Amino acid sequence: MRYAQLVIGPAGSGKSTYCAAVVQHFAACRKVIEVVNLDPAAEYFSYEPLADIRELIHVDDAMEDEDLKFGPNGALVFCMEYFLENPEWLKDKLGEDDDDYIIFDCPGQIELYTHMTTVKQFISLLRDMNFHICAVFLIDSQFMVDGTKFLSGTMAALSVMVNLEVPHVNVLSKMDLLSKSARSKIDCYLDPDPHTLIGEVESNSRWNRKYRKLTESIGKIIDDYSLVRFIPLNLKNEENLADLQLTIDNIIQYGEEADVKMRDFDYPDPDNENVDD
């Protein structure tokens, strides 16, 4: 059995930073985890990838091609589709070792996860390669500090969960960058009550009065599904990162097939024991 974290989320949500932190955390625990970069437009990351999609195709290849002439978004989608049409490249890079644990650092184009089938096809490829998979959806906590933004972020997470149909963990990243007041506000949202969130939406504006029923319907969808929960992540807090990894490991059953470590004990010979008269 092999194990994988599919690290996804909008651009700038801290995916590559998270991957680097997880590699360091596993190294400190004397465990091995590898990272595969799947972002053909990546410019910099602070980890050494096991495989890098840019060796296969770069976003500039699609943008500069005289026949294609794609813009940045179209070029990125083209690169991902080209990657899926050449699965042998990834299989050669990963090999066939059992017990591999790999993080896939994915692009920051949100439509890849909310309604397109590209990532879903990639998940099927990983399952064929005997991977247990958990999607780790990161969203920047700085954009989730009021009711309307939190509703929007929750709907994005729910859309991704429904589209990918894979075990899923939602993470509020960059918690260490929030002010104390913003942090306390987000604490109220971690176990969200849609009715409370809707109540925070200002009803004085003409826009909010007009679309009040739509907002209430969105809140009802979140309440009916009861699937979206966020885990706050402060990468400066090692215990916080360890707890998140434990949650993910339990989801993908990492370590459950490991042999139980046994230790031989020498039991005392009762005939040689000193017995008081």
Side-chain angles (χ1 to χ4, degrees), residues 46-115:
S46 57
Y47 56 78
E48 186 65 32
L50 173 66
D52 189 343
I53 192 176
R54 296 177 301 176
E55 297 174 6
L56 176 68
I57 186 169
H58 196 284
V59 71
D60 290 343
D61 299 334
M63 293 178 64
E64 296 172 1
D65 187 280
E66 293 183 358
D67 295 326
L68 298 175
K69 297 180 180 178
F70 282 124
N73 290 344
L76 196 148
V77 172
F78 176 84
C79 289
M80 295 302 293
E81 291 175 345
Y82 181 84
F83 160 69
L84 290 172
E85 290 171 359
N86 295 271
E88 295 304 321
W89 174 84
L90 182 65
K91 293 178 180 178
D92 290 342
K93 291 290 185 179
L94 299 186
E96 297 180 353
D97 294 338
D98 286 337
D99 297 326
D100 281 344
Y101 197 161
I102 298 175
I103 305 176
F104 293 92
D105 186 4
C106 297
Q109 195 168 5
I110 191 66
E111 56 264 37
L112 287 172
Y113 318 114
T114 54
H115 60 274

Coordinates of all heavy atoms in Angstrom, one line a residue, residues 46-115:
S46 N 10.9 25.6 -1.5 CA 12.0 25.3 -0.6 C 12.1 23.8 -0.3 O 12.6 23.5 0.8 CB 11.9 26.2 0.6 OG 10.7 25.9 1.3
Y47 N 11.8 22.9 -1.2 CA 12.0 21.5 -0.9 C 12.6 20.9 -2.2 O 12.6 21.5 -3.3 CB 10.7 20.8 -0.6 CG 9.6 21.0 -1.6 CD1 9.6 20.2 -2.8 CD2 8.5 21.9 -1.4 CE1 8.6 20.4 -3.8 CE2 7.5 22.1 -2.4 CZ 7.6 21.3 -3.6 OH 6.6 21.5 -4.5
E48 N 13.2 19.8 -2.1 CA 13.8 19.1 -3.2 C 12.8 18.1 -3.7 O 12.5 17.0 -3.0 CB 15.1 18.4 -2.8 CG 15.9 17.7 -3.9 CD 16.4 18.8 -4.9 OE1 16.7 19.9 -4.5 OE2 16.5 18.4 -6.1
P49 N 12.2 18.3 -4.9 CA 11.1 17.4 -5.3 C 11.6 16.0 -5.8 O 12.7 15.9 -6.4 CB 10.5 18.2 -6.5 CG 11.6 19.0 -7.0 CD 12.4 19.4 -5.8
L50 N 10.8 15.0 -5.6 CA 11.1 13.7 -6.1 C 10.9 13.7 -7.6 O 11.7 13.1 -8.4 CB 10.2 12.6 -5.5 CG 10.3 11.2 -6.0 CD1 11.6 10.6 -5.8 CD2 9.2 10.4 -5.4
A51 N 9.9 14.5 -8.1 CA 9.6 14.6 -9.5 C 9.1 16.1 -9.7 O 8.4 16.6 -8.8 CB 8.7 13.6 -10.0
D52 N 9.3 16.6 -10.8 CA 8.9 18.0 -11.1 C 8.3 18.0 -12.5 O 8.9 17.7 -13.5 CB 10.1 18.9 -11.1 CG 9.8 20.4 -11.1 OD1 8.6 20.7 -11.6 OD2 10.6 21.3 -10.8
I53 N 7.0 18.4 -12.5 CA 6.3 18.4 -13.8 C 6.9 19.3 -14.9 O 6.8 19.1 -16.1 CB 4.8 18.8 -13.6 CG1 3.9 18.5 -14.8 CG2 4.7 20.2 -13.2 CD1 2.5 18.8 -14.7
R54 N 7.7 20.3 -14.4 CA 8.3 21.2 -15.4 C 9.4 20.5 -16.2 O 9.8 21.0 -17.2 CB 8.9 22.4 -14.6 CG 7.9 23.2 -13.9 CD 8.5 24.3 -13.0 NE 9.5 23.8 -12.1 CZ 10.2 24.5 -11.3 NH1 10.2 25.8 -11.3 NH2 11.0 23.9 -10.4
E55 N 9.8 19.3 -15.8 CA 10.7 18.5 -16.6 C 10.0 17.9 -17.8 O 10.6 17.6 -18.8 CB 11.4 17.4 -15.7 CG 12.2 17.9 -14.6 CD 12.7 16.8 -13.7 OE1 12.4 15.6 -14.1 OE2 13.3 17.0 -12.7
L56 N 8.7 17.7 -17.6 CA 7.8 17.2 -18.7 C 7.3 18.3 -19.6 O 7.4 18.2 -20.8 CB 6.7 16.3 -18.1 CG 5.7 15.8 -19.0 CD1 6.3 14.7 -19.9 CD2 4.5 15.2 -18.3
I57 N 6.7 19.3 -18.9 CA 6.1 20.4 -19.6 C 6.1 21.6 -18.7 O 5.8 21.5 -17.5 CB 4.7 20.1 -20.2 CG1 4.2 21.2 -21.1 CG2 3.8 19.8 -19.1 CD1 3.0 20.9 -21.9
H58 N 6.4 22.8 -19.3 CA 6.3 24.0 -18.5 C 5.2 24.9 -19.1 O 4.9 24.8 -20.3 CB 7.7 24.8 -18.6 CG 7.9 25.9 -17.6 ND1 7.3 27.1 -17.7 CD2 8.6 25.9 -16.5 CE1 7.6 27.8 -16.7 NE2 8.4 27.1 -16.0
V59 N 4.6 25.7 -18.2 CA 3.5 26.6 -18.7 C 4.0 27.5 -19.8 O 3.2 27.8 -20.7 CB 2.9 27.4 -17.5 CG1 3.9 28.5 -17.1 CG2 1.6 28.0 -17.9
D60 N 5.2 27.9 -19.8 CA 5.7 28.8 -20.9 C 5.7 28.0 -22.3 O 5.6 28.7 -23.3 CB 7.2 29.2 -20.6 CG 7.2 30.2 -19.5 OD1 6.1 30.8 -19.1 OD2 8.3 30.4 -18.9
D61 N 5.9 26.7 -22.2 CA 5.8 25.9 -23.5 C 4.5 26.1 -24.2 O 4.4 26.3 -25.4 CB 6.1 24.4 -23.2 CG 7.4 24.2 -22.6 OD1 8.3 25.0 -22.8 OD2 7.6 23.2 -21.9
A62 N 3.4 26.1 -23.4 CA 2.1 26.2 -24.0 C 1.8 27.7 -24.4 O 1.1 27.9 -25.4 CB 1.0 25.7 -23.0
M63 N 2.3 28.6 -23.6 CA 2.0 30.0 -23.9 C 2.8 30.5 -25.1 O 2.3 31.4 -25.9 CB 2.4 30.9 -22.7 CG 1.5 30.6 -21.5 SD 1.9 31.6 -20.0 CE 1.6 33.3 -20.7
E64 N 4.0 30.0 -25.3 CA 4.9 30.5 -26.4 C 4.7 29.7 -27.7 O 5.3 30.1 -28.7 CB 6.3 30.5 -25.9 CG 6.6 31.4 -24.7 CD 8.0 31.2 -24.2 OE1 8.7 30.4 -24.7 OE2 8.3 31.9 -23.2
D65 N 4.0 28.6 -27.6 CA 3.8 27.8 -28.8 C 3.0 28.6 -29.9 O 1.9 29.2 -29.6 CB 3.0 26.5 -28.5 CG 3.0 25.6 -29.7 OD1 2.1 25.8 -30.5 OD2 3.8 24.6 -29.7
E66 N 3.5 28.7 -31.1 CA 2.8 29.5 -32.1 C 1.4 29.0 -32.5 O 0.6 29.8 -33.0 CB 3.7 29.6 -33.3 CG 5.0 30.3 -33.1 CD 5.9 30.5 -34.3 OE1 5.4 29.9 -35.4 OE2 6.9 31.1 -34.3
D67 N 1.2 27.7 -32.4 CA -0.1 27.1 -32.7 C -1.1 27.2 -31.6 O -2.3 27.4 -31.8 CB 0.1 25.6 -33.1 CG 0.9 25.5 -34.4 OD1 0.8 26.4 -35.3 OD2 1.7 24.5 -34.5
L68 N -0.6 27.1 -30.4 CA -1.5 27.1 -29.2 C -1.9 28.5 -28.8 O -3.1 28.9 -28.7 CB -0.9 26.4 -28.0 CG -0.6 24.9 -28.3 CD1 0.1 24.3 -27.1 CD2 -1.9 24.1 -28.5
K69 N -0.9 29.3 -28.5 CA -1.1 30.7 -28.1 C -2.1 30.9 -26.9 O -3.0 31.7 -26.9 CB -1.6 31.6 -29.3 CG -0.6 31.6 -30.4 CD -1.1 32.5 -31.6 CE -0.1 32.6 -32.7 NZ -0.7 33.3 -33.9
F70 N -1.9 30.0 -25.9 CA -2.7 30.1 -24.7 C -2.3 31.3 -23.8 O -1.2 31.7 -23.8 CB -2.6 28.8 -23.9 CG -3.4 27.6 -24.5 CD1 -2.7 26.5 -24.8 CD2 -4.7 27.7 -24.7 CE1 -3.4 25.4 -25.3 CE2 -5.4 26.7 -25.2 CZ -4.8 25.5 -25.5
G71 N -3.3 31.7 -23.0 CA -3.0 32.6 -21.9 C -2.6 31.8 -20.7 O -2.5 30.6 -20.8
P72 N -2.3 32.5 -19.6 CA -1.8 31.7 -18.4 C -2.7 30.6 -17.9 O -2.2 29.5 -17.7 CB -1.6 32.8 -17.4 CG -1.5 34.1 -18.1 CD -2.3 33.9 -19.4
N73 N -4.0 30.9 -17.8 CA -4.9 29.9 -17.3 C -5.1 28.7 -18.3 O -5.1 27.6 -17.9 CB -6.3 30.5 -17.0 CG -6.2 31.4 -15.8 OD1 -5.3 31.4 -15.0 ND2 -7.2 32.3 -15.6
G74 N -5.3 29.1 -19.5 CA -5.5 28.0 -20.5 C -4.2 27.2 -20.7 O -4.3 25.9 -20.9
A75 N -3.0 27.8 -20.6 CA -1.8 27.1 -20.7 C -1.6 26.1 -19.5 O -1.1 25.0 -19.7 CB -0.6 28.1 -20.7
L76 N -2.0 26.5 -18.3 CA -1.9 25.6 -17.1 C -2.8 24.4 -17.3 O -2.4 23.3 -17.0 CB -2.2 26.4 -15.9 CG -1.8 25.8 -14.6 CD1 -1.4 26.8 -13.5 CD2 -2.9 24.9 -14.0
V77 N -4.0 24.6 -17.7 CA -5.0 23.5 -17.9 C -4.4 22.6 -19.0 O -4.4 21.3 -18.9 CB -6.4 24.0 -18.4 CG1 -7.2 22.9 -18.8 CG2 -7.0 24.8 -17.2
F78 N -3.8 23.1 -20.1 CA -3.3 22.3 -21.1 C -2.1 21.5 -20.6 O -2.0 20.3 -20.9 CB -2.7 23.2 -22.3 CG -2.0 22.4 -23.4 CD1 -2.7 21.8 -24.4 CD2 -0.6 22.3 -23.3 CE1 -2.0 21.1 -25.4 CE2 0.0 21.6 -24.3 CZ -0.7 21.0 -25.4
C79 N -1.3 22.1 -19.7 CA -0.1 21.3 -19.1 C -0.6 20.2 -18.3 O -0.1 19.1 -18.4 CB 0.7 22.3 -18.3 SG 1.7 23.5 -19.2
M80 N -1.7 20.4 -17.5 CA -2.2 19.3 -16.7 C -2.8 18.2 -17.5 O -2.7 17.0 -17.2 CB -3.3 19.8 -15.7 CG -2.7 20.8 -14.7 SD -1.4 20.1 -13.7 CE -2.3 18.9 -12.8
E81 N -3.5 18.5 -18.6 CA -4.1 17.5 -19.5 C -2.9 16.8 -20.2 O -3.0 15.5 -20.4 CB -5.0 18.2 -20.5 CG -6.3 18.8 -19.9 CD -7.1 19.5 -20.9 OE1 -6.6 19.9 -22.0 OE2 -8.3 19.8 -20.6
Y82 N -1.9 17.5 -20.6 CA -0.7 16.8 -21.3 C -0.1 15.8 -20.3 O 0.3 14.7 -20.7 CB 0.3 17.9 -21.7 CG 1.5 17.3 -22.4 CD1 1.4 17.0 -23.8 CD2 2.7 17.1 -21.7 CE1 2.5 16.5 -24.5 CE2 3.8 16.5 -22.4 CZ 3.7 16.3 -23.7 OH 4.8 15.7 -24.4
F83 N 0.0 16.3 -19.0 CA 0.6 15.4 -18.0 C -0.2 14.1 -17.8 O 0.4 13.0 -17.7 CB 0.6 16.2 -16.7 CG 0.7 15.4 -15.4 CD1 1.9 14.7 -15.1 CD2 -0.3 15.3 -14.5 CE1 2.0 13.9 -14.0 CE2 -0.2 14.5 -13.4 CZ 1.0 13.9 -13.1
L84 N -1.5 14.2 -17.9 CA -2.4 13.0 -17.7 C -2.3 12.1 -18.9 O -2.6 10.9 -18.8 CB -3.8 13.4 -17.4 CG -4.1 14.1 -16.0 CD1 -5.5 14.6 -15.9 CD2 -3.8 13.0 -14.9
E85 N -2.0 12.7 -20.1 CA -1.9 11.9 -21.3 C -0.5 11.1 -21.3 O -0.3 10.3 -22.2 CB -2.0 12.8 -22.5 CG -3.4 13.3 -22.8 CD -3.4 14.4 -23.9 OE1 -2.3 14.7 -24.4 OE2 -4.5 14.9 -24.2
N86 N 0.3 11.5 -20.4 CA 1.7 10.8 -20.3 C 1.9 10.3 -18.9 O 2.9 10.7 -18.2 CB 2.8 11.8 -20.7 CG 2.6 12.3 -22.2 OD1 3.2 11.7 -23.1 ND2 1.9 13.4 -22.4
P87 N 1.1 9.3 -18.5 CA 1.2 8.8 -17.1 C 2.5 8.0 -16.8 O 2.9 7.9 -15.7 CB 0.0 7.9 -16.9 CG -0.4 7.5 -18.3 CD 0.0 8.7 -19.2
E88 N 3.1 7.5 -17.9 CA 4.3 6.7 -17.7 C 5.5 7.6 -17.1 O 6.3 7.0 -16.4 CB 4.8 6.1 -19.1 CG 3.8 5.1 -19.6 CD 3.5 4.0 -18.6 OE1 4.5 3.5 -18.0 OE2 2.3 3.6 -18.5
W89 N 5.4 8.9 -17.4 CA 6.5 9.8 -16.9 C 6.4 9.7 -15.4 O 7.4 9.6 -14.7 CB 6.3 11.2 -17.4 CG 7.2 12.2 -16.8 CD1 8.5 12.4 -17.1 CD2 7.0 13.0 -15.6 NE1 9.1 13.4 -16.3 CE2 8.1 13.7 -15.4 CE3 5.9 13.2 -14.8 CZ2 8.2 14.7 -14.3 CZ3 5.9 14.1 -13.8 CH2 7.1 14.8 -13.5
L90 N 5.2 9.9 -14.8 CA 5.1 9.9 -13.3 C 5.4 8.5 -12.8 O 6.0 8.4 -11.7 CB 3.6 10.3 -13.0 CG 3.4 10.3 -11.5 CD1 4.2 11.4 -10.8 CD2 1.9 10.6 -11.2
K91 N 4.9 7.4 -13.4 CA 5.2 6.1 -12.9 C 6.7 5.8 -12.9 O 7.1 5.1 -11.9 CB 4.4 5.1 -13.8 CG 2.9 5.1 -13.7 CD 2.2 4.1 -14.6 CE 0.7 4.2 -14.5 NZ 0.0 3.3 -15.5
D92 N 7.4 6.2 -13.9 CA 8.9 6.0 -13.9 C 9.5 6.8 -12.7 O 10.5 6.3 -12.1 CB 9.4 6.5 -15.2 CG 9.1 5.6 -16.4 OD1 8.6 4.4 -16.1 OD2 9.2 6.0 -17.5
K93 N 9.0 8.0 -12.5 CA 9.6 8.8 -11.4 C 9.3 8.2 -10.0 O 10.2 8.3 -9.1 CB 9.1 10.2 -11.5 CG 9.5 11.0 -12.7 CD 11.0 11.4 -12.6 CE 11.4 12.3 -13.7 NZ 12.9 12.7 -13.6
L94 N 8.1 7.7 -9.8 CA 7.7 7.2 -8.5 C 8.2 5.8 -8.2 O 8.3 5.4 -7.1 CB 6.2 7.2 -8.4 CG 5.5 8.6 -8.5 CD1 4.0 8.5 -8.2 CD2 6.2 9.6 -7.6
G95 N 8.4 5.0 -9.3 CA 8.8 3.6 -9.1 C 7.6 2.8 -8.6 O 6.4 3.2 -8.7
E96 N 7.9 1.6 -8.0 CA 6.8 0.7 -7.5 C 7.0 0.3 -6.1 O 6.5 -0.8 -5.7 CB 6.7 -0.5 -8.5 CG 6.4 -0.1 -9.9 CD 6.4 -1.3 -10.8 OE1 6.7 -2.4 -10.3 OE2 6.0 -1.2 -12.0
D97 N 7.7 1.0 -5.3 CA 8.0 0.6 -3.9 C 6.7 0.7 -3.1 O 6.0 1.7 -3.2 CB 9.1 1.5 -3.3 CG 10.4 1.3 -3.9 OD1 10.6 0.2 -4.6 OD2 11.3 2.1 -3.8
D98 N 6.5 -0.3 -2.2 CA 5.4 -0.2 -1.3 C 5.7 0.8 -0.2 O 6.9 1.0 0.1 CB 5.1 -1.6 -0.7 CG 4.4 -2.5 -1.7 OD1 3.7 -1.9 -2.6 OD2 4.5 -3.7 -1.6
D99 N 4.7 1.2 0.5 CA 4.9 2.1 1.7 C 5.4 3.5 1.4 O 5.8 4.2 2.3 CB 5.8 1.5 2.8 CG 5.2 0.2 3.3 OD1 3.9 0.1 3.4 OD2 5.9 -0.8 3.6
D100 N 5.4 3.9 0.1 CA 5.8 5.2 -0.3 C 4.8 6.2 0.3 O 3.6 5.9 0.4 CB 5.8 5.4 -1.8 CG 7.0 4.9 -2.4 OD1 8.0 4.6 -1.7 OD2 7.0 4.7 -3.7
Y101 N 5.3 7.3 0.8 CA 4.4 8.4 1.3 C 4.8 9.7 0.5 O 5.9 10.2 0.7 CB 4.6 8.6 2.8 CG 3.5 9.4 3.5 CD1 3.3 9.3 4.8 CD2 2.6 10.2 2.8 CE1 2.3 10.0 5.5 CE2 1.6 10.9 3.4 CZ 1.4 10.8 4.8 OH 0.4 11.5 5.4
I102 N 3.9 10.2 -0.3 CA 4.2 11.2 -1.2 C 3.2 12.4 -1.1 O 2.0 12.1 -1.0 CB 4.3 10.7 -2.7 CG1 5.4 9.7 -2.8 CG2 4.5 11.9 -3.7 CD1 5.5 9.0 -4.1
I103 N 3.7 13.6 -1.1 CA 2.9 14.8 -1.2 C 2.9 15.3 -2.6 O 4.0 15.5 -3.2 CB 3.4 15.9 -0.2 CG1 3.5 15.4 1.2 CG2 2.4 17.1 -0.3 CD1 4.1 16.4 2.1
F104 N 1.7 15.6 -3.2 CA 1.6 16.2 -4.5 C 1.2 17.6 -4.4 O 0.1 18.0 -3.9 CB 0.6 15.4 -5.3 CG 1.0 14.0 -5.7 CD1 0.6 12.9 -4.8 CD2 1.8 13.7 -6.8 CE1 1.0 11.6 -5.1 CE2 2.2 12.4 -7.0 CZ 1.8 11.4 -6.2
D105 N 2.2 18.5 -4.7 CA 2.0 19.9 -4.6 C 1.3 20.4 -5.9 O 2.0 20.5 -6.9 CB 3.4 20.6 -4.4 CG 3.3 22.1 -4.1 OD1 2.1 22.6 -4.0 OD2 4.3 22.8 -4.0
C106 N 0.1 20.7 -5.8 CA -0.8 21.0 -7.0 C -0.8 22.5 -7.4 O -0.5 23.3 -6.6 CB -2.2 20.4 -6.8 SG -2.2 18.6 -6.6
P107 N -1.2 22.8 -8.6 CA -1.4 24.2 -9.0 C -2.4 25.0 -8.2 O -3.3 24.4 -7.6 CB -1.7 24.1 -10.5 CG -1.4 22.7 -10.9 CD -1.6 21.9 -9.7
G108 N -2.4 26.3 -8.3 CA -3.3 27.1 -7.6 C -4.4 27.6 -8.4 O -4.9 28.8 -8.2
Q109 N -4.9 26.9 -9.4 CA -6.0 27.3 -10.2 C -7.3 26.6 -9.7 O -7.5 25.4 -9.9 CB -5.8 26.9 -11.7 CG -6.7 27.6 -12.6 CD -6.2 27.5 -14.1 OE1 -5.3 26.7 -14.3 NE2 -6.9 28.1 -15.0
I110 N -8.1 27.4 -9.0 CA -9.2 26.8 -8.2 C -10.2 26.0 -9.1 O -10.8 25.0 -8.6 CB -10.0 27.9 -7.4 CG1 -10.9 27.3 -6.4 CG2 -10.6 28.9 -8.4 CD1 -10.2 26.5 -5.3
E111 N -10.4 26.4 -10.4 CA -11.4 25.7 -11.2 C -10.9 24.2 -11.5 O -11.7 23.4 -11.9 CB -11.6 26.4 -12.5 CG -10.4 26.7 -13.3 CD -9.9 28.1 -13.1 OE1 -10.0 28.6 -12.0 OE2 -9.5 28.7 -14.1
L112 N -9.6 23.9 -11.3 CA -9.2 22.5 -11.5 C -9.8 21.6 -10.5 O -10.0 20.4 -10.7 CB -7.6 22.5 -11.3 CG -6.8 23.0 -12.4 CD1 -5.3 23.1 -12.0 CD2 -7.0 22.2 -13.7
Y113 N -10.2 22.2 -9.3 CA -10.8 21.4 -8.2 C -12.3 21.5 -8.1 O -12.9 20.6 -7.6 CB -10.1 21.8 -6.9 CG -8.6 22.0 -7.1 CD1 -8.0 23.2 -6.9 CD2 -7.8 20.9 -7.5 CE1 -6.6 23.4 -7.1 CE2 -6.4 21.1 -7.6 CZ -5.8 22.3 -7.5 OH -4.5 22.5 -7.6
T114 N -12.8 22.6 -8.5 CA -14.2 22.9 -8.2 C -15.2 22.2 -9.2 O -16.3 21.8 -8.8 CB -14.5 24.4 -8.1 OG1 -14.1 25.0 -9.3 CG2 -13.8 25.0 -6.9
H115 N -14.8 22.2 -10.5 CA -15.7 21.7 -11.5 C -15.1 21.0 -12.7 O -15.8 20.3 -13.4 CB -16.6 22.8 -12.0 CG -15.9 23.9 -12.7 ND1 -15.4 25.0 -12.0 CD2 -15.6 24.1 -14.0 CE1 -14.9 25.8 -12.8 NE2 -15.0 25.3 -14.0

